[in-house]
Amino acid sequence: KKLPNGSDKIYYQISYDGYEAHTVNRVSAAGQSTVEEVRESIKWAVKEKIPFSIKSTINRDTFHLMAECYQDIRDLVGGASSTYFPTIDYLTNIKVTEEERVKYYKDLETSLIAIAEKEIAFYKENKRFFFSWFYENKALCGAGAHGLAMDIDGTLYKCHGNFYSDKKEENQVTSIFDDSFIDDIVRTTEIHREVKKYIPDECKGCYTEFCLRCNSMCYELSEKETFMEKWNDYPSQPDICELYKLATQVKWGMEKVLGLKK
């Protein structure tokens, strides 16, 4: 069924990282692979014409697998109907050495160039990109403002990333067992409401065209004093900024080949 605006009334999101990365990062509690089970679910959703999108996560240790994951998802969903939209796992390897930083950068560069080569042919055939990082999108995270995450014990946090954080308690909002449950949720959403509008001066002058900011990671890394200063401290993650700038540079090169950019 459709809503008045034409969008689907029910829409599903399936977590799948692409065969190679999913095999490494998403195993069951017993350590067993989940990749085939998820792939079969996706095939079934495609066959039954169930509206869904694929949510992929990529971490630094699997940057070198991105091109393979891109192609796997294209083949799986039938290229013209979806996108490959990987989100960087910001909270894994949050602090890296200079040697690791250079390695991860080169891994991502190699993968992005390989994806761009595939995207040239895809764009010529479909007049759009399959890789979401080649669109303009400087998204602000809605964690705390428009969404919370509940742990298995009923405790709510600003973000699901807080589950694995050393600063977990500082980002706790409430519990479903607290009498003030609803009031606590209202209070935190009001506090975070302005997050969607906040752009640091450093970001205003940045040339990158695609960037997914992570406030939970900002809070982890920031050396500022107040909670909201830390939460909004996007410049505290320069290595992430570097990766998104790289993606834009590769995009510009691809657009020149396609005649979309001078």
Side-chain angles (χ1 to χ4, degrees), residues 144-212:
H146 306 293
L148 301 172
M150 185 171 68
D151 208 344
I152 57 175
D153 63 356
T155 305
L156 273 72
Y157 298 90
K158 304 289 179 74
C159 169
H160 64 277
N162 299 143
F163 295 169
Y164 317 104
S165 168
D166 292 336
K167 300 178 181 179
K168 181 176 181 178
E169 292 185 3
E170 297 173 35
N171 288 277
Q172 181 176 327
V173 175
T174 188
S175 168
I176 59 174
F177 302 108
D178 292 344
D179 293 337
S180 59
F181 174 67
I182 298 299
D183 291 338
D184 292 339
I185 291 176
V186 171
R187 188 178 302 111
T188 197
T189 55
E190 289 177 346
I191 291 172
H192 284 266
R193 187 174 296 162
E194 294 302 310
V195 170
K196 296 289 285 184
K197 303 177 183 178
Y198 179 78
I199 306 292
D201 290 339
E202 295 92 335
C203 295
K204 291 176 182 177
C206 179
Y207 64 78
T208 187
E209 296 177 0
F210 183 89
C211 174
L212 300 181

Side-chain angles (χ1 to χ4, degrees), residues 95-106:
K95 294 180 180 179
V96 298
T97 65
E98 179 63 17
E99 182 179 2
E100 289 171 330
R101 186 194 67 80
V102 172
K103 177 188 181 301
Y104 291 137
Y105 184 93
K106 294 300 296 182

Side-chain angles (χ1 to χ4, degrees), residues 2 13 27 32 50 53 83 127 137 159 173 193 212 226 255 262:
K2 300 285 186 179
Q13 177 176 287
V27 296
Q32 300 299 312
I50 294 173
S53 62
T83 60
K127 302 306 178 189
N137 183 8
C159 169
V173 175
R193 187 174 296 162
L212 300 181
T226 69
E255 288 178 332
K262 295 182 179 180

Side-chain angles (χ1 to χ4, degrees), residues 50-65:
I50 294 173
F52 75 97
S53 62
I54 291 178
K55 176 65 176 65
S56 299
T57 299
I58 198 83
N59 61 30
R60 291 168 173 81
D61 289 334
T62 51
F63 277 170
H64 67 291
L65 300 174

